[in-house]
Amino acid sequence: MGSTMAEVTDQIVFLLKATKSEYVEDTMKKGRFCFSQPTVFSKWENNEAAQYDRWDSHSAYEATHLVVAPIISEENGIPQYGPVQKLADRAIIHEQDSFIKQSFICCFRYIKLNEVEFCDKGVNLSLGTVADRIIKEFGYDSFVLIEFNEFIRRIKEKGILFIGAVVYKDLLNDYEFPVPEQLKSIVEQFYRKDTKYEWQQEYRIVIPPLKGYTDTKRFIEIGSIEDIAISGKIADIRD
């Protein structure tokens, strides 16, 4: 089945924020991060871009023996149904509720302990061909590498509750998230992505809807992260 959400989190040592060079200073000095609603990704203008995901923030299940019964009339406000008709033997059901649709997501790449080498001068990190994919498919040229535990502590101080690694499952029929039952539906939508995106190793921080807010993006500042982060060019961590 692959690693679970909890197992991945136990191995994370850094979060890598891929970005454009003009945003690096604000990220480092202000701890400024952009959060986007799921529709930003599901309706991305370039379907070939790595950001595009038609089913971003949707759960996904395989259903069998689908049937439908048309409403043929109504009596005293109660619908009257016609004969049940077969719709399909099998189908993939995607679900997204309004809370999810109106929430905001900030995405990082998680870096596990076995992906880095600690040395006297700091940390050696090589993404190999993944660096080329980030440059080409995302259109980013720079990165900010952030110490995981302290960053998450500061994020939590802002009252942000939904934080975790994405699980790459085309279907959730055989996967159980390690969360309380009342949060299961929310987490299944936020933290599931199709397996074709697994190379992205995504870690998500989510903030809930803001009443009366109509923009699809929000910016959050947590203060300088210069004491727990370094920045550079993605091309420099290719090898």
Side-chain angles (χ1 to χ4, degrees):
M1 185 176 69
S3 298
T4 67
M5 191 183 197
E7 288 171 340
V8 168
T9 300
D10 288 343
Q11 301 173 47
I12 297 173
V13 288
F14 296 103
L15 293 180
L16 184 142
K17 184 62 178 174
T19 186
K20 294 183 178 180
S21 57
E22 57 260 40
Y23 304 129
V24 170
E25 184 175 0
D26 277 353
T27 304
M28 292 289 290
K29 292 182 179 294
K30 300 178 182 179
R32 191 170 197 255
F33 295 93
C34 178
F35 288 71
S36 302
Q37 289 184 338
T39 53
V40 170
F41 308 114
S42 61
K43 296 181 180 179
W44 197 268
E45 61 272 15
N46 179 6
N47 289 5
E48 299 302 316
Q51 293 95 328
Y52 172 72
D53 179 3
R54 180 184 179 187
W55 299 118
D56 194 289
S57 301
H58 285 72
S59 59
Y61 300 93
E62 182 180 47
T64 60
H65 309 297
L66 281 79
V67 297
V68 62
I71 297 176
I72 57 175
S73 64
E74 185 176 308
E75 294 183 10
N76 300 321
I78 300 174
Q80 304 298 308
Y81 295 93
V84 174
Q85 304 170 23
K86 179 180 177 179
L87 188 62
D89 290 325
R90 293 179 181 274
I92 305 301
I93 306 298
H94 292 94
E95 179 184 50
Q96 182 186 63
D97 64 34
S98 59
F99 177 86
I100 306 297
K101 188 174 183 178
Q102 296 169 26
S103 295
F104 300 84
I105 300 167
C106 188
C107 308
F108 301 79
R109 179 182 181 85
Y110 60 78
I111 305 296
K112 296 188 291 186
L113 182 61
N114 63 1
E115 296 179 275
V116 297
E117 178 185 353
F118 293 90
C119 58
D120 293 339
K121 295 183 179 180
V123 176
N124 288 328
L125 170 65
S126 173
L127 295 184
T129 58
V130 169
D132 293 318
R133 293 193 70 173
I134 292 173
I135 294 169
K136 180 180 178 181
E137 298 181 36
F138 279 97
Y140 296 142
D141 61 358
S142 300
F143 73 88
V144 175
L145 186 68
I146 313 166
E147 195 278 315
F148 176 71
N149 288 325
E150 177 59 20
F151 179 62
I152 294 304
R153 186 191 68 80
R154 296 181 190 184
I155 285 291
K156 288 181 177 179
E157 285 184 344
K158 296 293 182 180
I160 298 174
L161 300 178
F162 294 107
I163 303 170
V166 167
V167 169
Y168 295 95
K169 301 286 290 184
D170 290 337
L171 299 171
L172 290 171
N173 297 61
D174 63 347
Y175 188 85
E176 290 288 335
F177 282 90
V179 297
E181 189 64 29
Q182 65 268 29
L183 297 179
K184 184 177 177 182
S185 176
I186 292 174
V187 173
E188 284 176 343
Q189 293 174 62
F190 277 140
Y191 292 98
R192 183 212 68 88
K193 287 178 71 73
D194 291 345
T195 55
K196 68 179 180 179
Y197 299 104
E198 192 167 11
W199 70 273
Q200 297 176 5
Q201 292 189 188
E202 188 174 328
Y203 193 92
R204 291 188 156 190
I205 298 173
V206 182
I207 53 179
L210 183 63
K211 187 176 181 180
Y213 191 87
T214 58
D215 200 343
T216 59
K217 295 185 178 182
R218 287 181 63 189
F219 291 88
I220 299 295
E221 293 185 6
I222 65 169
S224 173
I225 58 170
E226 293 173 289
D227 59 326
I228 59 169
I230 59 173
S231 62
K233 296 294 184 181
I234 293 175
D236 294 337
I237 55 174
R238 180 187 289 116
D239 302 314

